[in-house]
Amino acid sequence: MKLGFIGLGRMGFNMVLNLKDHKIDAVAYNRHSEPARKIKKHGVEAAFSIEELMKKLPKQKIIWLMVTAGKPVDAVIKELLPYLKQNDIIIDGGNSFYKDSIRRYKFLKNKRIHFLDIGTSGGLSGARYGACLTIGGDKKIFKKIDPICKAVSAKNGYAYVGKAGAGHFVKMVHNGIEYAWLQAAGEGFELLLKGPYKNIDLRKTAKVWKNGSIIQSKIMGWAEGAFRKDQKLSRIDGIVGGGETGQWALKTAREYKVDFETLDLAIKSRKKSQKRPGFAGKVVAALRNEFGGHKAIKR
């Protein structure tokens, strides 16, 4: 099985290397050519135009997109259309809004082209060594790419979750939970720092918590990594970026009359950090940098 892979950002680049490790042939393309030249040095076949990419693929085309959500996804699909035929498959592995995925599915179905939406989680280390995937679309089409999903996922780390849009819907909810968890971690570590015991080692605390506690998690592992670099996170201003997927989740919760108050508070805290950055914001910004390479604003 050979597929085309479009989008060599932080996640996409690592996923292509993951595919290579599992002996799945991929032809990699990126709008800016430097990442494609870089991936080629890792022994991955690269293309430097959409036309070149499509010529290097077999008769039935499978294209995995890992590009910025929104208009860029539509733009790439539009660029691909002249080269696609009946029964070709497009996969959107980015953080798209699930209603956009439903729209794209219907648009491509009318052209007899298949579309799958895959929510991808696990951060950069997951992309490189074992991601978490939730897949939406026609189940029979998912079965055709099942070997790819199994190869790039962590053990028991992928699942078909439902019809078109379901994969991105589940990922959207995942991100809403993530926002709330990160905020809780940030506020807890701020209390440790400012509480009555002035010499609590935050790195050691995070290390203990990541090993057997009720809040054991990758988040605590990343917290330990951040505090190992700088116990006080003094080089991070505490301004928390991001927010789009969380806003989608909150809006959807309200649409279906579900209380998602922890997410609401987390989003408000991120907005507040733009004007009044504090230590909790430093923790959240540091964690986002640890797992996803998201920019942490530094002095």
PDB file of all heavy atoms in Angstrom, residues 250-277:
ATOM      1  N   LEU A 250     -17.094  23.799  23.063  1.00  0.00           N
ATOM      2  CA  LEU A 250     -18.007  24.515  23.958  1.00  0.00           C
ATOM      3  C   LEU A 250     -19.292  24.909  23.221  1.00  0.00           C
ATOM      4  O   LEU A 250     -20.401  24.748  23.750  1.00  0.00           O
ATOM      5  CB  LEU A 250     -17.318  25.751  24.522  1.00  0.00           C
ATOM      6  CG  LEU A 250     -18.109  26.539  25.564  1.00  0.00           C
ATOM      7  CD1 LEU A 250     -18.447  25.660  26.761  1.00  0.00           C
ATOM      8  CD2 LEU A 250     -17.318  27.771  26.002  1.00  0.00           C
ATOM      9  N   LYS A 251     -19.145  25.408  22.007  1.00  0.00           N
ATOM     10  CA  LYS A 251     -20.310  25.788  21.203  1.00  0.00           C
ATOM     11  C   LYS A 251     -21.202  24.579  20.940  1.00  0.00           C
ATOM     12  O   LYS A 251     -22.435  24.661  21.022  1.00  0.00           O
ATOM     13  CB  LYS A 251     -19.853  26.405  19.880  1.00  0.00           C
ATOM     14  CG  LYS A 251     -20.989  26.884  18.993  1.00  0.00           C
ATOM     15  CD  LYS A 251     -20.458  27.505  17.707  1.00  0.00           C
ATOM     16  CE  LYS A 251     -21.602  27.942  16.798  1.00  0.00           C
ATOM     17  NZ  LYS A 251     -21.097  28.536  15.532  1.00  0.00           N
ATOM     18  N   THR A 252     -20.583  23.433  20.648  1.00  0.00           N
ATOM     19  CA  THR A 252     -21.348  22.217  20.377  1.00  0.00           C
ATOM     20  C   THR A 252     -22.043  21.719  21.637  1.00  0.00           C
ATOM     21  O   THR A 252     -23.190  21.257  21.588  1.00  0.00           O
ATOM     22  CB  THR A 252     -20.421  21.126  19.804  1.00  0.00           C
ATOM     23  OG1 THR A 252     -19.785  21.631  18.618  1.00  0.00           O
ATOM     24  CG2 THR A 252     -21.202  19.869  19.447  1.00  0.00           C
ATOM     25  N   ALA A 253     -21.361  21.817  22.778  1.00  0.00           N
ATOM     26  CA  ALA A 253     -21.979  21.416  24.044  1.00  0.00           C
ATOM     27  C   ALA A 253     -23.233  22.241  24.303  1.00  0.00           C
ATOM     28  O   ALA A 253     -24.274  21.709  24.717  1.00  0.00           O
ATOM     29  CB  ALA A 253     -20.980  21.567  25.185  1.00  0.00           C
ATOM     30  N   ARG A 254     -23.140  23.525  24.069  1.00  0.00           N
ATOM     31  CA  ARG A 254     -24.298  24.389  24.263  1.00  0.00           C
ATOM     32  C   ARG A 254     -25.415  24.054  23.269  1.00  0.00           C
ATOM     33  O   ARG A 254     -26.603  24.099  23.613  1.00  0.00           O
ATOM     34  CB  ARG A 254     -23.876  25.844  24.133  1.00  0.00           C
ATOM     35  CG  ARG A 254     -23.048  26.320  25.332  1.00  0.00           C
ATOM     36  CD  ARG A 254     -22.431  27.681  25.102  1.00  0.00           C
ATOM     37  NE  ARG A 254     -21.733  28.143  26.308  1.00  0.00           N
ATOM     38  CZ  ARG A 254     -20.874  29.156  26.316  1.00  0.00           C
ATOM     39  NH1 ARG A 254     -20.601  29.809  25.195  1.00  0.00           N
ATOM     40  NH2 ARG A 254     -20.285  29.509  27.447  1.00  0.00           N
ATOM     41  N   GLU A 255     -25.029  23.718  22.041  1.00  0.00           N
ATOM     42  CA  GLU A 255     -26.007  23.341  21.017  1.00  0.00           C
ATOM     43  C   GLU A 255     -26.822  22.131  21.460  1.00  0.00           C
ATOM     44  O   GLU A 255     -28.025  22.039  21.215  1.00  0.00           O
ATOM     45  CB  GLU A 255     -25.278  23.039  19.703  1.00  0.00           C
ATOM     46  CG  GLU A 255     -26.177  22.636  18.547  1.00  0.00           C
ATOM     47  CD  GLU A 255     -25.395  22.285  17.287  1.00  0.00           C
ATOM     48  OE1 GLU A 255     -24.166  22.553  17.245  1.00  0.00           O
ATOM     49  OE2 GLU A 255     -25.993  21.733  16.354  1.00  0.00           O
ATOM     50  N   TYR A 256     -26.162  21.196  22.148  1.00  0.00           N
ATOM     51  CA  TYR A 256     -26.837  19.977  22.600  1.00  0.00           C
ATOM     52  C   TYR A 256     -27.205  20.030  24.084  1.00  0.00           C
ATOM     53  O   TYR A 256     -27.504  19.000  24.682  1.00  0.00           O
ATOM     54  CB  TYR A 256     -25.957  18.758  22.285  1.00  0.00           C
ATOM     55  CG  TYR A 256     -25.924  18.461  20.800  1.00  0.00           C
ATOM     56  CD1 TYR A 256     -24.921  18.987  19.993  1.00  0.00           C
ATOM     57  CD2 TYR A 256     -26.918  17.693  20.201  1.00  0.00           C
ATOM     58  CE1 TYR A 256     -24.902  18.745  18.626  1.00  0.00           C
ATOM     59  CE2 TYR A 256     -26.914  17.446  18.844  1.00  0.00           C
ATOM     60  CZ  TYR A 256     -25.901  17.976  18.063  1.00  0.00           C
ATOM     61  OH  TYR A 256     -25.889  17.739  16.704  1.00  0.00           O
ATOM     62  N   LYS A 257     -27.158  21.244  24.640  1.00  0.00           N
ATOM     63  CA  LYS A 257     -27.588  21.476  26.033  1.00  0.00           C
ATOM     64  C   LYS A 257     -26.829  20.598  27.037  1.00  0.00           C
ATOM     65  O   LYS A 257     -27.409  19.991  27.940  1.00  0.00           O
ATOM     66  CB  LYS A 257     -29.100  21.281  26.172  1.00  0.00           C
ATOM     67  CG  LYS A 257     -29.910  22.303  25.376  1.00  0.00           C
ATOM     68  CD  LYS A 257     -31.397  22.090  25.508  1.00  0.00           C
ATOM     69  CE  LYS A 257     -32.190  23.213  24.854  1.00  0.00           C
ATOM     70  NZ  LYS A 257     -31.826  23.466  23.441  1.00  0.00           N
ATOM     71  N   VAL A 258     -25.514  20.524  26.832  1.00  0.00           N
ATOM     72  CA  VAL A 258     -24.626  19.799  27.747  1.00  0.00           C
ATOM     73  C   VAL A 258     -23.791  20.826  28.515  1.00  0.00           C
ATOM     74  O   VAL A 258     -23.177  21.719  27.917  1.00  0.00           O
ATOM     75  CB  VAL A 258     -23.697  18.837  26.970  1.00  0.00           C
ATOM     76  CG1 VAL A 258     -22.667  18.210  27.903  1.00  0.00           C
ATOM     77  CG2 VAL A 258     -24.512  17.764  26.266  1.00  0.00           C
ATOM     78  N   ASP A 259     -23.765  20.720  29.824  1.00  0.00           N
ATOM     79  CA  ASP A 259     -22.914  21.602  30.629  1.00  0.00           C
ATOM     80  C   ASP A 259     -21.458  21.167  30.499  1.00  0.00           C
ATOM     81  O   ASP A 259     -21.125  20.024  30.806  1.00  0.00           O
ATOM     82  CB  ASP A 259     -23.322  21.548  32.104  1.00  0.00           C
ATOM     83  CG  ASP A 259     -24.658  22.228  32.369  1.00  0.00           C
ATOM     84  OD1 ASP A 259     -24.985  23.163  31.618  1.00  0.00           O
ATOM     85  OD2 ASP A 259     -25.370  21.808  33.302  1.00  0.00           O
ATOM     86  N   PHE A 260     -20.623  22.049  30.035  1.00  0.00           N
ATOM     87  CA  PHE A 260     -19.189  21.764  29.908  1.00  0.00           C
ATOM     88  C   PHE A 260     -18.473  22.921  30.606  1.00  0.00           C
ATOM     89  O   PHE A 260     -17.658  23.628  30.021  1.00  0.00           O
ATOM     90  CB  PHE A 260     -18.797  21.679  28.430  1.00  0.00           C
ATOM     91  CG  PHE A 260     -17.627  20.762  28.138  1.00  0.00           C
ATOM     92  CD1 PHE A 260     -17.471  20.207  26.873  1.00  0.00           C
ATOM     93  CD2 PHE A 260     -16.673  20.451  29.108  1.00  0.00           C
ATOM     94  CE1 PHE A 260     -16.399  19.370  26.577  1.00  0.00           C
ATOM     95  CE2 PHE A 260     -15.601  19.619  28.826  1.00  0.00           C
ATOM     96  CZ  PHE A 260     -15.465  19.086  27.551  1.00  0.00           C
ATOM     97  N   GLU A 261     -18.811  23.092  31.902  1.00  0.00           N
ATOM     98  CA  GLU A 261     -18.378  24.272  32.641  1.00  0.00           C
ATOM     99  C   GLU A 261     -16.864  24.317  32.843  1.00  0.00           C
ATOM    100  O   GLU A 261     -16.274  25.397  32.873  1.00  0.00           O
ATOM    101  CB  GLU A 261     -19.107  24.340  33.983  1.00  0.00           C
ATOM    102  CG  GLU A 261     -20.605  24.568  33.831  1.00  0.00           C
ATOM    103  CD  GLU A 261     -21.329  24.623  35.167  1.00  0.00           C
ATOM    104  OE1 GLU A 261     -20.652  24.562  36.213  1.00  0.00           O
ATOM    105  OE2 GLU A 261     -22.572  24.724  35.151  1.00  0.00           O
ATOM    106  N   THR A 262     -16.254  23.149  32.989  1.00  0.00           N
ATOM    107  CA  THR A 262     -14.794  23.136  33.173  1.00  0.00           C
ATOM    108  C   THR A 262     -14.098  23.671  31.926  1.00  0.00           C
ATOM    109  O   THR A 262     -13.099  24.383  32.014  1.00  0.00           O
ATOM    110  CB  THR A 262     -14.291  21.717  33.484  1.00  0.00           C
ATOM    111  OG1 THR A 262     -14.763  20.805  32.479  1.00  0.00           O
ATOM    112  CG2 THR A 262     -14.750  21.255  34.852  1.00  0.00           C
ATOM    113  N   LEU A 263     -14.619  23.317  30.744  1.00  0.00           N
ATOM    114  CA  LEU A 263     -14.053  23.839  29.500  1.00  0.00           C
ATOM    115  C   LEU A 263     -14.283  25.341  29.395  1.00  0.00           C
ATOM    116  O   LEU A 263     -13.386  26.090  29.001  1.00  0.00           O
ATOM    117  CB  LEU A 263     -14.674  23.119  28.301  1.00  0.00           C
ATOM    118  CG  LEU A 263     -14.312  23.676  26.919  1.00  0.00           C
ATOM    119  CD1 LEU A 263     -12.812  23.661  26.696  1.00  0.00           C
ATOM    120  CD2 LEU A 263     -15.027  22.886  25.818  1.00  0.00           C
ATOM    121  N   ASP A 264     -15.478  25.782  29.747  1.00  0.00           N
ATOM    122  CA  ASP A 264     -15.796  27.209  29.710  1.00  0.00           C
ATOM    123  C   ASP A 264     -14.805  27.989  30.569  1.00  0.00           C
ATOM    124  O   ASP A 264     -14.260  29.024  30.142  1.00  0.00           O
ATOM    125  CB  ASP A 264     -17.226  27.413  30.219  1.00  0.00           C
ATOM    126  CG  ASP A 264     -17.748  28.824  29.995  1.00  0.00           C
ATOM    127  OD1 ASP A 264     -17.124  29.580  29.216  1.00  0.00           O
ATOM    128  OD2 ASP A 264     -18.772  29.179  30.593  1.00  0.00           O
ATOM    129  N   LEU A 265     -14.544  27.501  31.777  1.00  0.00           N
ATOM    130  CA  LEU A 265     -13.604  28.172  32.676  1.00  0.00           C
ATOM    131  C   LEU A 265     -12.179  28.148  32.110  1.00  0.00           C
ATOM    132  O   LEU A 265     -11.439  29.128  32.231  1.00  0.00           O
ATOM    133  CB  LEU A 265     -13.638  27.513  34.050  1.00  0.00           C
ATOM    134  CG  LEU A 265     -14.916  27.736  34.863  1.00  0.00           C
ATOM    135  CD1 LEU A 265     -14.936  26.830  36.091  1.00  0.00           C
ATOM    136  CD2 LEU A 265     -15.036  29.191  35.282  1.00  0.00           C
ATOM    137  N   ALA A 266     -11.807  27.032  31.488  1.00  0.00           N
ATOM    138  CA  ALA A 266     -10.459  26.922  30.919  1.00  0.00           C
ATOM    139  C   ALA A 266     -10.264  27.919  29.785  1.00  0.00           C
ATOM    140  O   ALA A 266      -9.204  28.556  29.672  1.00  0.00           O
ATOM    141  CB  ALA A 266     -10.208  25.496  30.432  1.00  0.00           C
ATOM    142  N   ILE A 267     -11.275  28.061  28.930  1.00  0.00           N
ATOM    143  CA  ILE A 267     -11.181  29.021  27.825  1.00  0.00           C
ATOM    144  C   ILE A 267     -11.107  30.449  28.360  1.00  0.00           C
ATOM    145  O   ILE A 267     -10.308  31.270  27.883  1.00  0.00           O
ATOM    146  CB  ILE A 267     -12.378  28.848  26.861  1.00  0.00           C
ATOM    147  CG1 ILE A 267     -12.247  27.520  26.105  1.00  0.00           C
ATOM    148  CG2 ILE A 267     -12.454  30.013  25.879  1.00  0.00           C
ATOM    149  CD1 ILE A 267     -13.448  27.170  25.261  1.00  0.00           C
ATOM    150  N   LYS A 268     -11.921  30.747  29.366  1.00  0.00           N
ATOM    151  CA  LYS A 268     -11.880  32.086  29.973  1.00  0.00           C
ATOM    152  C   LYS A 268     -10.510  32.356  30.590  1.00  0.00           C
ATOM    153  O   LYS A 268      -9.993  33.477  30.519  1.00  0.00           O
ATOM    154  CB  LYS A 268     -12.973  32.219  31.022  1.00  0.00           C
ATOM    155  CG  LYS A 268     -14.378  32.331  30.419  1.00  0.00           C
ATOM    156  CD  LYS A 268     -15.445  32.361  31.508  1.00  0.00           C
ATOM    157  CE  LYS A 268     -16.837  32.472  30.880  1.00  0.00           C
ATOM    158  NZ  LYS A 268     -17.916  32.398  31.910  1.00  0.00           N
ATOM    159  N   SER A 269      -9.910  31.317  31.188  1.00  0.00           N
ATOM    160  CA  SER A 269      -8.587  31.484  31.792  1.00  0.00           C
ATOM    161  C   SER A 269      -7.534  31.751  30.726  1.00  0.00           C
ATOM    162  O   SER A 269      -6.602  32.548  30.938  1.00  0.00           O
ATOM    163  CB  SER A 269      -8.221  30.240  32.605  1.00  0.00           C
ATOM    164  OG  SER A 269      -9.074  30.097  33.717  1.00  0.00           O
ATOM    165  N   ARG A 270      -7.663  31.093  29.579  1.00  0.00           N
ATOM    166  CA  ARG A 270      -6.709  31.352  28.486  1.00  0.00           C
ATOM    167  C   ARG A 270      -6.820  32.794  28.004  1.00  0.00           C
ATOM    168  O   ARG A 270      -5.807  33.455  27.752  1.00  0.00           O
ATOM    169  CB  ARG A 270      -6.960  30.380  27.324  1.00  0.00           C
ATOM    170  CG  ARG A 270      -6.532  28.966  27.628  1.00  0.00           C
ATOM    171  CD  ARG A 270      -6.507  28.099  26.386  1.00  0.00           C
ATOM    172  NE  ARG A 270      -6.069  26.743  26.714  1.00  0.00           N
ATOM    173  CZ  ARG A 270      -5.622  25.867  25.839  1.00  0.00           C
ATOM    174  NH1 ARG A 270      -5.560  26.191  24.555  1.00  0.00           N
ATOM    175  NH2 ARG A 270      -5.238  24.664  26.209  1.00  0.00           N
ATOM    176  N   LYS A 271      -8.056  33.282  27.890  1.00  0.00           N
ATOM    177  CA  LYS A 271      -8.250  34.672  27.470  1.00  0.00           C
ATOM    178  C   LYS A 271      -7.693  35.634  28.510  1.00  0.00           C
ATOM    179  O   LYS A 271      -7.058  36.644  28.183  1.00  0.00           O
ATOM    180  CB  LYS A 271      -9.737  34.935  27.234  1.00  0.00           C
ATOM    181  CG  LYS A 271     -10.300  34.240  25.998  1.00  0.00           C
ATOM    182  CD  LYS A 271     -11.776  34.531  25.835  1.00  0.00           C
ATOM    183  CE  LYS A 271     -12.333  33.835  24.592  1.00  0.00           C
ATOM    184  NZ  LYS A 271     -13.807  34.065  24.448  1.00  0.00           N
ATOM    185  N   LYS A 272      -7.922  35.312  29.777  1.00  0.00           N
ATOM    186  CA  LYS A 272      -7.433  36.154  30.868  1.00  0.00           C
ATOM    187  C   LYS A 272      -5.905  36.217  30.865  1.00  0.00           C
ATOM    188  O   LYS A 272      -5.306  37.251  31.203  1.00  0.00           O
ATOM    189  CB  LYS A 272      -7.927  35.610  32.208  1.00  0.00           C
ATOM    190  CG  LYS A 272      -7.659  36.527  33.399  1.00  0.00           C
ATOM    191  CD  LYS A 272      -8.017  35.850  34.719  1.00  0.00           C
ATOM    192  CE  LYS A 272      -9.496  35.518  34.793  1.00  0.00           C
ATOM    193  NZ  LYS A 272      -9.845  34.906  36.105  1.00  0.00           N
ATOM    194  N   SER A 273      -5.273  35.105  30.466  1.00  0.00           N
ATOM    195  CA  SER A 273      -3.808  35.056  30.467  1.00  0.00           C
ATOM    196  C   SER A 273      -3.190  36.043  29.483  1.00  0.00           C
ATOM    197  O   SER A 273      -2.028  36.424  29.632  1.00  0.00           O
ATOM    198  CB  SER A 273      -3.316  33.637  30.145  1.00  0.00           C
ATOM    199  OG  SER A 273      -3.420  33.341  28.756  1.00  0.00           O
ATOM    200  N   GLN A 274      -3.956  36.459  28.470  1.00  0.00           N
ATOM    201  CA  GLN A 274      -3.437  37.419  27.506  1.00  0.00           C
ATOM    202  C   GLN A 274      -3.149  38.762  28.167  1.00  0.00           C
ATOM    203  O   GLN A 274      -2.228  39.479  27.768  1.00  0.00           O
ATOM    204  CB  GLN A 274      -4.450  37.625  26.367  1.00  0.00           C
ATOM    205  CG  GLN A 274      -4.852  36.357  25.634  1.00  0.00           C
ATOM    206  CD  GLN A 274      -3.702  35.719  24.889  1.00  0.00           C
ATOM    207  OE1 GLN A 274      -2.899  36.406  24.258  1.00  0.00           O
ATOM    208  NE2 GLN A 274      -3.609  34.394  24.954  1.00  0.00           N
ATOM    209  N   LYS A 275      -3.944  39.109  29.200  1.00  0.00           N
ATOM    210  CA  LYS A 275      -3.778  40.385  29.888  1.00  0.00           C
ATOM    211  C   LYS A 275      -3.110  40.243  31.250  1.00  0.00           C
ATOM    212  O   LYS A 275      -2.362  41.128  31.673  1.00  0.00           O
ATOM    213  CB  LYS A 275      -5.145  41.054  30.060  1.00  0.00           C
ATOM    214  CG  LYS A 275      -5.803  41.461  28.752  1.00  0.00           C
ATOM    215  CD  LYS A 275      -7.141  42.143  29.002  1.00  0.00           C
ATOM    216  CE  LYS A 275      -7.792  42.565  27.700  1.00  0.00           C
ATOM    217  NZ  LYS A 275      -9.108  43.227  27.919  1.00  0.00           N
ATOM    218  N   ARG A 276      -3.420  39.119  31.928  1.00  0.00           N
ATOM    219  CA  ARG A 276      -2.867  38.926  33.270  1.00  0.00           C
ATOM    220  C   ARG A 276      -2.240  37.536  33.389  1.00  0.00           C
ATOM    221  O   ARG A 276      -2.803  36.633  34.006  1.00  0.00           O
ATOM    222  CB  ARG A 276      -3.957  39.098  34.322  1.00  0.00           C
ATOM    223  CG  ARG A 276      -4.436  40.539  34.478  1.00  0.00           C
ATOM    224  CD  ARG A 276      -5.339  40.664  35.689  1.00  0.00           C
ATOM    225  NE  ARG A 276      -6.581  39.906  35.527  1.00  0.00           N
ATOM    226  CZ  ARG A 276      -7.392  39.580  36.518  1.00  0.00           C
ATOM    227  NH1 ARG A 276      -7.082  39.887  37.761  1.00  0.00           N
ATOM    228  NH2 ARG A 276      -8.502  38.912  36.275  1.00  0.00           N
ATOM    229  N   PRO A 277      -1.084  37.334  32.775  1.00  0.00           N
ATOM    230  CA  PRO A 277      -0.437  36.019  32.847  1.00  0.00           C
ATOM    231  C   PRO A 277       0.006  35.685  34.264  1.00  0.00           C
ATOM    232  O   PRO A 277       0.499  36.549  34.984  1.00  0.00           O
ATOM    233  CB  PRO A 277       0.762  36.160  31.902  1.00  0.00           C
ATOM    234  CG  PRO A 277       1.022  37.623  31.820  1.00  0.00           C
ATOM    235  CD  PRO A 277      -0.310  38.296  31.977  1.00  0.00           C
TER     236      PRO A 277
END
